[in-house]
């Protein structure tokens, strides 16, 4: 009830009606007024106000109040009304025998009312005892003959409306009025806040109106408690207001529940609290079981309680606070049983899976197959809506049902794939248990280890390894992997380790690498398939081979073989039909830079179905995709990545989705599509936030973000990524080389060759430490050579460039060879144009479009410089010939200008030969500094004679973009077309 010391807000209309009724009563006109509404809307407060107004106007007032405690007390309300007139009336009513048709005291009251107008006020008529109700109905029939007004309040609905209500024939000529009180509006709630607390923020009043639903009693009590806490009604105190509102609403619900006396109504109320809006009211009543109470009476009792609202003519549940208060008094076992019965009923009537799953969350195990199926469908629906916490709750509940061992393992695996993002520690613990106990035939152990590696847990592969390392595979497993790669040589300032320390670095989402098997001692995967024995078809052998492959991956990620209690990782089995072994072996060949065709064939075999029908693993296939990237089969790798992505989406494996997207971003960067790479990286971070990313993968993701931002022209963001600290564990893993390389690229773009060379050298040392020799993985040698060339260390530059060219030629892909030729052309002092032409020819048939564009620009710059030198020599020979007619600059000993700086966009301004006249040296046009880098590149290609379509294909842009860039070039250079652009680029006399 609303506190009496507060005004009746937004009740002016009702007060005007009651004032008019009291005025007419003084003139002898009877009336019947019913004030109705949900509990807490202020009905009784309004009746008290009317009684006070009537007393002030000289009207005789008799009042009574019905309560649930006196519902069975005969004439309880009549006794309250008549006791002021006759003190002995109560005792006579309670002890007098009940006679049919008896209405004690009614005639005496009507006789007394003829001399003075009387107002009868009855509060809460929904709790009237039957005798008092019959007495008041008889009074209503006699009202036209006496100056009496009956003013009542009720919280009942239209179904249990008394017979004197509007539209009934009982009232005769008496005025019959029903006042339905609405909740407070937003302005009414704001007025209440001002009256109790003073001026308030709009956010505060809006939240109060929403949570209290405008019920005055709740609003006033919340505000009084809030004021007693000494807080101001400001937006920053909304959290405190939320707690107070929940407490007050819960108290009101508990009070209303204690007043509900009918046990059947209480049971139905609890069933409604369980089912909410899932089931219709008649179906909810069936959960209670057979009972004699009519449905209409149940609706009336529940509506009068105020605990439920009416929606569409049927009772409907309130918010979570009220439902919790309704159910908290039940024993836990009874509550779980009620939820289970409700779930069974909802399943029989085909309620939506989400609703049934919510019921099953709180139900005891039902022991039926449909329960697990429903929870798994609810899990998928929750993931689609982004509710990962709810999805994990559904699968956790599914594990409480009786399940077969294989089905239980699959549910745990599915649950762990989501918990890898939300609760990685719990996921690892669950997967470790699955690895220890799973059945070999189902492939669950391998899938659990695969998922652990995606989450960064490298211990899981060791956990699956038997005590003796040689028992994992065939005879080849007992052989140490020390004969895999030939002993390395010293390159630059980095030393390659010997074969006893062969290691590899990864660029896949698992970001790991491997050592290549000795080609003389091992055959390719196709040969293995032809020599497969019957033992390889056994599930135990297949699992062992998969675990060996995953163990190699774990070893690549983080080396712990120096520990005394850790056995060395066994070599991959010689003869295996496992696609997982093929994928890892393809990557090991690729990072070692040997056997291109074998690596390509093994990578393709990694995507073949397993002969034994075992489910495919994610990590080996990611390795295979990375191997295809290094073999210049990017389109094929992209198709396989799309397949992996669709598969991960079907399985709702967020961590697999994120890693596949990261690998695809790497592919886009290598193929000159940085905008697509940025989109994939953003999508990957949406699936797996960086705060949840395992430290082992932080350097790789950071490197991808850094390079993508740099290529997209967001240098500030790239610098921010480069300066971001990484966890300590991230500095000890294979992916560290990627971040070092990316930082070197950033330093190179900032014209800081000292820092760039330091980063590239560190990257090289780290990669060689892991046995990664192939320059196709990261071309650190070529970029370190260009940095050394910029610093004047031509000896080191040539040594590194030639080393990269030798290794790229051994590997044999166009991308690696073309990049090596390009770097050699940059650092060499002779025949630069010829070297650039060779690089352009090689890269034109490779997917490395960024390197190809740079090679074309460098070639244009070199050709422009050569043309300028030829022109200068020709003019010099005409003006100052020597005695024998030779030009001074034509002697072999003449000095030439330095080559264009490496790493910069070539253009006008290449130095002319020494001795040339100042006016003959090339200078950029007046508007050249105003050109953007994109316009700069487009202008050089157009000056070289390429058409718009060719320029668009070279720069990977649209033809329209080329047209717009050329228009900007013409405007800034103040020229009219390509002819003038060519004239500017060729220098004097068309040189």
């Amino acid at each position: 009830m609303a506190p009496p010391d507060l005004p009746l807000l937004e009740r002016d209309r009702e007060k005007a009606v009651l004032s008019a009724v009291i005025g007419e009563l003084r003139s002898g006109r009877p009336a019947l007024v019913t004030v109705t509404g949900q509990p807490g809307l202020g009905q009784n407060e309004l009746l008290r106000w009317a009684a006070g107004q009537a007393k002030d106007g000289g009207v005789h007032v008799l009042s009574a109040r019905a309560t649930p405690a006196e519902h069975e007390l005969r004439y309880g309300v009549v006794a309250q009304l008549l006791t002021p007139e006759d003190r002995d009336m109560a005792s006579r009513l309670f002890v007098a025998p009940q006679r049919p048709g008896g209405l004690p005291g009614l005639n005496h009251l009507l006789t007394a009312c003829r001399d003075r107008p009387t107002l009868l006020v009855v509060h809460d008529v929904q709790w009237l005892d039957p005798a008092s109700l019959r007495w008041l109905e008889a009074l209503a029939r006699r009202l036209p003959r006496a100056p009496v007004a009956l003013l009542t309040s009720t919280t009942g609905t239209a179904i249990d409306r008394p017979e004197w209500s509007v539209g009934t024939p009982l009232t005769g000529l008496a005025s019959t009025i029903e006042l339905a009180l609405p909740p407070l509006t937003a302005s009414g709630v704001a007025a209440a806040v001002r009256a109790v607390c003073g001026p308030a923020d709009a956010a505060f009043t809006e939240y109060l109106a929403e949570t209290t639903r405008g019920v005055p009693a709740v609003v006033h009590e919340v505000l009084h408690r809030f004021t007693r806490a000494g807080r101001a009604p400001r937006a920053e105190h909304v959290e405190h207001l939320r707690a107070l509102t929940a407490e007050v609403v819960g108290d009101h619900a508990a009070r209303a529940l204690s007043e509900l006396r009918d046990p059947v109504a209480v049971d139905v109320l609890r069933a409604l609290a369980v089912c909410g809006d899932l089931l219709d009211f008649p179906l909810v009543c069936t959960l209670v079981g057979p009972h004699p109470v009519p449905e209409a009476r149940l609706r009336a009792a529940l509506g009068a309680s105020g605990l439920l609202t009416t929606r569409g003519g049927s009772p409907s549940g309130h918010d979570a606070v009220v439902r919790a208060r309704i159910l908290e008094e039940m024993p836990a076992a009874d509550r779980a049983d009620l939820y289970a019965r409700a779930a069974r009923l909802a399943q029989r009537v085909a309620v939506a899976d989400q609703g049934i799953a919510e019921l099953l969350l709180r139900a005891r195990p039902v022991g039926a197959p449909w329960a697990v199926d429903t929870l798994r469908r609810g899990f998928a629906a929750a993931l689609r809506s982004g509710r990962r916490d709810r999805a994990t709750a559904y699968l956790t509940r599914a594990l409480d049902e009786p399940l077969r061992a294989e089905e239980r393992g699959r549910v745990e695996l599915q649950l762990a794939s989501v918990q890898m993002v939300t609760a990685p520690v719990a996921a690892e613990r669950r997967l470790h248990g699955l690895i220890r106990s799973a059945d070999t035939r189902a492939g669950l152990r391998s899938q659990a280890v695969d998922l652990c590696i995606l989450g960064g847990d490298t211990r899981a592969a060791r956990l699956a390894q038997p005590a003796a390392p040689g028992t994992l595979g065939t005879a080849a497993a007992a052989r140490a992997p020390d004969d895999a790669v030939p002993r390395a040589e010293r390159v630059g300032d980095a030393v390659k380790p010997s074969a006893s320390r062969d290691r590899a670095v990864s660029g896949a989402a698992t970001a790991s690498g491997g050592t290549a098997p000795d080609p003389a001692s091992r055959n390719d995967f196709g040969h293995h398939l032809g020599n497969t024995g019957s033992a390889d078809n056994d599930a135990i052998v297949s699992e062992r081979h998969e675990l060996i492959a995953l163990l190699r991956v774990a070893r690549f990620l983080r080396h712990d073989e120096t520990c005394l209690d850790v056995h060395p990782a066994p070599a991959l089995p010689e003869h295996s039909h496992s696609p997982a072994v093929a994928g890892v072996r393809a990557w090991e060949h690729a990072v070692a830079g040997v056997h291109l065709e074998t690596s390509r064939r093994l990578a393709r075999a990694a995507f073949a179905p397993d002969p034994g029908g075992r489910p495919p693993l994610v990590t080996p296939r990611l390795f295979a995709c990375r191997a295809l990237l290094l073999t210049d089969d990017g389109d094929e790798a992209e198709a396989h990545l799309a397949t992996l992505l669709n598969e991960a989406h079907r399985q709702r494996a967020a961590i697999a989705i994120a890693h596949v997207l990261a690998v695809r971003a790497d592919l886009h960067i290598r193929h000159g599509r940085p905008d697509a790479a940025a989109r994939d990286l953003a999508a990957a971070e949406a699936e797996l936030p960086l705060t949840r990313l395992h430290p082992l993968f932080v350097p790789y993701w950071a490197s991808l973000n850094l390079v993508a931002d740099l290529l997209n022209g967001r240098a500030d963001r790239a610098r921010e990524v480069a300066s971001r600290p990484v966890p300590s564990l991230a500095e000890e893993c294979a992916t560290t080389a990627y971040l070092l390389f990316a930082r070197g690229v950033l330093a190179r773009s900032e014209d800081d060759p000292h820092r760039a060379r330091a980063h590239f050298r560190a990257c090289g040392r780290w990669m060689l430490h892991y046995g990664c020799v192939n320059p196709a993985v990261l071309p650190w040698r070529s970029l370190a050579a260009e940095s050394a060339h910029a610093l004047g260390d031509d000896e080191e530059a040539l040594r590194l460039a030639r080393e990269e060219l030798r290794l790229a030629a051994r590997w044999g892909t166009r991308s690696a060879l073309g990049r090596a030729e390009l770097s050699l052309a940059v650092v060499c002092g002779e025949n630069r144009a010829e070297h650039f032409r060779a690089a352009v020819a090689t890269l034109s048939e490779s997917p490395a479009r960024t390197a190809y564009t740079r090679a074309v620009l460098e070639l244009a710059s070199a050709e422009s410089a050569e043309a300028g030198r030829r022109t200068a020599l020709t003019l010099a020979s005409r003006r100052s010939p020597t005695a024998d007619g030779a030009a001074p600059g034509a002697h072999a000993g003449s000095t030439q200008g330095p080559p264009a700086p490496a790493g910069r966009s070539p253009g006008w301004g290449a130095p002319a030969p020494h001795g040339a006249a100042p006016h003959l040296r090339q200078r950029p046009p007046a508007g050249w500094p105003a050109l953007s880098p994109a316009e700069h590149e487009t202008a050089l290609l157009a000056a070289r004679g390429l058409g718009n379509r060719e320029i668009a294909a070279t720069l990977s842009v649209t033809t329209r973009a080329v047209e717009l860039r050329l228009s900007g070039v013409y405007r800034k250079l103040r020229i009219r077309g390509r002819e003038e652009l060519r004239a500017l680029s060729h220098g004097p006399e068309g040189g």
Side-chain angles (χ1 to χ4, degrees):
M1 312 309 317
D5 56 336
L6 291 175
L8 289 167
L9 297 173
E10 296 187 330
R11 298 293 182 255
D12 296 336
R13 180 183 67 87
E14 289 80 3
K15 288 196 279 187
V17 171
L18 292 178
S19 297
V21 168
I22 293 170
E24 292 182 352
L25 180 60
R26 288 199 299 267
S27 303
R29 297 177 183 175
L32 277 167
V33 181
T34 302
V35 181
T36 186
Q38 296 298 322
L41 293 181
Q43 300 94 312
N44 293 337
E45 177 65 19
L46 192 61
L47 264 61
R48 283 191 288 269
W49 177 88
Q53 293 293 316
K55 288 180 180 178
D56 294 342
V59 176
H60 184 53
V61 178
L62 300 175
S63 62
R65 180 176 183 178
T67 62
E70 297 180 355
H71 181 68
E72 303 299 330
L73 180 63
R74 186 161 59 99
Y75 292 120
V77 170
V78 175
Q80 295 180 52
L81 289 173
L82 299 183
T83 296
E85 301 294 322
D86 185 354
R87 295 184 180 275
D88 298 330
M89 177 60 69
S91 59
R92 293 199 300 272
L93 287 173
F94 297 152
V95 300
Q98 184 175 2
R99 292 177 298 173
L103 299 170
L106 180 58
N107 292 331
H108 177 74
L109 175 65
L110 293 174
T111 301
C113 291
R114 291 172 183 164
D115 298 332
R116 54 179 179 177
T118 302
L119 176 66
L120 300 180
V121 181
V122 181
H123 301 261
D124 297 329
V125 295
Q126 71 272 9
W127 302 121
L128 281 173
D129 61 275
S132 296
L133 178 61
R134 188 173 62 254
W135 192 92
L136 290 174
E137 289 175 348
L139 173 65
R141 296 189 190 95
R142 293 166 174 78
L143 280 184
R145 299 192 296 272
V148 178
L150 178 60
L151 177 59
T152 63
S153 69
T154 179
T155 59
T157 61
I159 296 178
D160 68 330
R161 186 178 297 174
E163 292 188 14
W164 62 75
S165 300
V166 178
T168 62
L170 300 178
T171 57
L173 300 177
S175 299
T176 305
I177 302 171
E178 181 173 347
L179 299 176
L181 300 183
L184 295 178
T185 62
S187 59
V189 174
V193 174
R194 287 193 299 271
V196 178
C197 305
D201 291 346
F204 183 90
T205 56
E206 289 175 4
Y207 179 80
L208 181 64
E210 178 184 355
T211 54
T212 61
R213 299 187 303 277
V215 177
V218 179
V219 171
H220 294 160
E221 188 170 349
V222 168
L223 289 177
H224 276 291
R225 294 190 186 185
F226 185 83
T227 305
R228 285 198 299 270
R231 298 180 183 270
R234 298 289 181 262
E236 58 266 23
H237 296 148
V238 167
E239 288 298 325
H240 181 67
L241 179 66
R242 178 183 289 109
L244 280 180
T245 304
E247 182 181 345
V248 172
V249 170
D251 292 344
H252 279 252
R255 189 180 309 121
L257 187 61
S258 65
E259 294 176 352
L260 197 59
R261 299 292 180 176
D262 189 346
V264 177
V266 172
D267 291 340
V268 173
L269 184 65
R270 289 171 174 171
L272 278 171
V274 165
C275 298
D277 299 331
L278 291 178
L279 301 176
D280 296 335
F281 186 72
L283 288 175
V284 173
C285 294
T286 61
L287 290 176
V288 180
H291 57 81
V293 183
E295 182 180 324
R297 181 176 174 182
L298 285 175
R299 291 175 182 267
L302 295 175
S305 69
L307 293 170
L308 300 175
T309 58
T310 301
R311 184 180 304 169
S314 297
S316 176
H318 265 331
D319 55 23
V321 175
V322 176
R323 288 198 298 269
R325 286 299 181 99
I326 292 173
L327 295 174
E328 68 182 3
E329 300 297 329
M330 293 183 67
D334 295 344
R335 185 165 57 245
D337 181 71
L338 178 59
Y339 272 107
R341 289 188 283 115
R344 288 195 188 93
L345 180 59
Q347 194 269 340
R348 286 199 298 270
V349 298
V351 173
D353 291 332
Q354 288 281 102
I356 303 176
E358 286 294 321
L359 295 175
L360 289 172
L361 278 182
R362 300 168 181 84
R364 58 170 174 77
V366 297
W370 61 262
V372 177
D373 296 338
T374 301
L375 287 167
R376 296 183 76 171
R377 290 194 297 268
F379 160 81
L383 282 185
R384 284 195 297 270
S385 59
R387 302 166 61 205
R388 285 177 175 163
D389 292 339
R390 212 59 178 171
T392 57
Y394 291 151
L395 283 191
T396 303
R397 170 61 183 82
L399 293 174
D400 294 336
E401 296 289 334
L403 297 170
R404 292 180 292 107
E406 181 178 342
E407 187 177 7
R408 179 175 296 277
R410 297 194 183 282
V411 172
E412 288 188 345
L413 192 68
Q414 195 174 22
L415 175 59
S417 68
V418 179
Q419 287 183 327
M420 273 294 182
V421 178
T422 59
V425 176
E428 290 179 7
R429 186 166 56 247
R430 189 179 301 279
L431 290 172
H432 287 182
L434 189 61
I435 292 169
R436 293 188 182 97
S437 61
D439 186 3
T440 298
R441 291 168 298 178
L444 295 178
R445 296 182 71 205
S446 301
Q447 292 183 79
V449 175
D450 184 33
L451 187 55
C452 283
I453 292 176
L454 287 176
D457 177 18
T458 58
R459 298 170 300 167
R462 300 283 182 192
L463 188 66
Q465 181 184 14
T471 62
L472 257 177
T474 59
R479 186 178 59 200
D482 297 347
D483 58 347
V485 177
R487 185 171 298 273
E489 302 170 339
R490 181 177 181 86
V491 179
D493 292 340
V495 179
K496 301 178 186 178
S498 65
S500 61
R501 300 294 298 167
D502 62 307
R503 298 183 181 181
V505 69
S506 160
T510 54
S512 53
T515 57
D518 187 353
S521 62
R522 299 191 182 183
N523 297 321
D524 56 46
F525 185 73
H527 182 69
H528 295 163
L529 286 177
N531 292 278
T532 299
S534 59
D536 287 341
N537 296 323
D538 185 79
I540 297 177
V541 175
S542 298
E543 183 187 73
R544 284 179 178 174
H545 290 181
E546 290 177 345
L547 292 178
I548 290 173
L550 294 173
L551 185 58
R552 299 283 291 182
V553 173
R555 172 183 175 272
F556 306 153
L557 274 174
R558 187 183 181 192
H559 296 290
D560 50 8
E561 294 177 357
T562 57
C563 300
L564 296 178
D565 59 341
V566 175
H567 295 288
L572 290 171
E574 290 266 2
H575 307 291
S576 175
H577 55 73
S578 172
V581 173
V584 176
R585 178 170 289 162
W587 178 252
E588 290 185 344
H589 278 296
V591 295
V594 293
H595 306 300
L596 172 66
E597 290 302 326
T598 301
S599 178
R600 180 181 286 127
R601 186 164 58 254
L602 287 169
R604 291 168 178 168
F607 295 94
D610 187 90
R614 297 176 66 82
L617 304 179
V618 176
T619 303
R621 288 184 291 169
L622 284 177
F623 277 115
C625 288
R626 289 292 297 143
L628 289 173
L629 281 184
L630 300 185
T631 59
D632 277 359
D633 297 300
D635 293 339
E636 188 175 348
E638 190 169 6
H640 288 310
L641 287 172
T643 302
L644 282 173
L645 192 60
N646 292 335
E647 178 185 304
H649 276 296
R650 286 195 305 270
Q651 296 175 354
R652 311 295 174 189
I655 193 165
I657 294 172
H659 284 308
V660 173
L661 288 171
V663 175
R664 197 168 70 174
D666 193 354
L667 182 149
H668 290 318
I669 290 174
R670 289 174 179 269
H671 289 193
R673 300 190 292 264
D675 51 344
R679 288 193 297 270
D680 275 350
L681 288 173
E685 291 180 15
E687 294 288 341
L688 180 60
L690 292 179
T691 55
R692 297 287 188 180
L693 184 64
H694 195 276
L696 292 180
F697 307 132
V698 168
Y700 178 63
W701 284 46
S703 68
L704 294 177
N705 279 285
L706 193 157
V707 175
D709 288 337
L710 198 60
L711 293 178
N712 285 316
R714 295 191 288 264
D716 293 339
R717 288 183 54 180
R719 282 189 286 270
E720 179 186 351
V721 173
S723 61
R724 192 178 299 161
V726 295
S728 58
L729 182 59
E731 299 176 353
E732 305 172 1
C733 62
T735 60
T736 305
Y738 281 84
L739 185 55
L740 291 171
F741 182 83
R743 286 172 175 169
V745 172
L746 177 63
R748 185 168 178 268
S749 70
E750 296 174 343
D751 290 333
D752 189 349
H754 285 283
R755 187 159 53 94
R757 182 169 67 168
H759 284 307
F760 291 135
R761 282 177 170 179
C763 170
R765 285 191 294 270
W766 205 258
M767 293 189 71
L768 294 175
H769 175 67
Y770 278 82
C772 184
V773 183
N774 194 346
V777 180
L778 289 177
W780 64 270
R781 296 177 185 83
S782 60
L783 297 186
E786 294 181 23
S787 299
H789 175 69
L791 294 172
D793 191 350
D794 292 337
E795 182 181 354
E796 179 186 358
L798 286 172
R799 178 163 46 83
L800 288 173
R802 288 168 179 165
E803 176 71 13
E804 173 135 338
L805 183 62
R806 181 180 65 82
L807 294 173
R810 187 180 73 171
W811 177 237
T813 59
R814 291 279 182 173
S815 296
L817 187 58
R819 280 193 294 262
E821 291 173 343
L822 176 60
S823 294
L824 182 61
V826 170
V827 303
C828 71
E830 299 177 354
N831 300 324
R832 299 180 70 247
E834 294 300 326
H835 287 297
F836 281 130
R837 290 189 186 96
V840 168
T842 303
L843 289 171
S844 63
E845 301 179 9
S846 77
R849 306 315 299 169
T850 303
Y852 173 67
T853 302
R854 185 190 169 210
V856 171
L857 297 175
E858 293 280 8
L859 176 59
S861 177
E863 289 178 342
S864 177
E866 281 190 356
R869 283 194 293 271
R870 286 196 301 269
T871 301
L873 290 174
T874 302
L875 293 177
S877 63
R878 291 176 183 174
R879 295 191 176 190
S880 54
T882 59
D884 56 0
H891 289 296
S894 63
T895 305
Q896 296 182 352
R904 297 185 181 177
S905 298
W908 289 282
H914 289 284
H919 67 280
L920 296 179
R921 297 180 183 177
Q922 284 187 308
R923 290 183 175 87
W928 183 256
L931 298 183
S932 67
E935 291 172 340
H936 187 171
E937 295 176 349
T938 307
L940 287 177
L941 294 176
R944 194 164 176 260
L946 274 69
N948 286 358
R949 291 181 181 272
E950 295 172 309
I951 297 174
T954 301
L955 300 180
S956 298
V957 297
T958 62
T959 307
R960 178 59 178 164
V962 173
E963 294 172 354
L964 293 175
R965 291 179 184 180
L966 288 177
S967 299
V969 170
Y970 300 154
R971 184 178 65 257
K972 293 176 181 178
L973 297 182
R974 298 181 181 180
I975 59 179
R976 288 175 293 182
R978 289 176 181 261
E979 293 301 326
E980 296 185 26
L981 184 63
R982 291 194 188 97
L984 287 174
S985 66
H986 289 164
E989 299 184 9

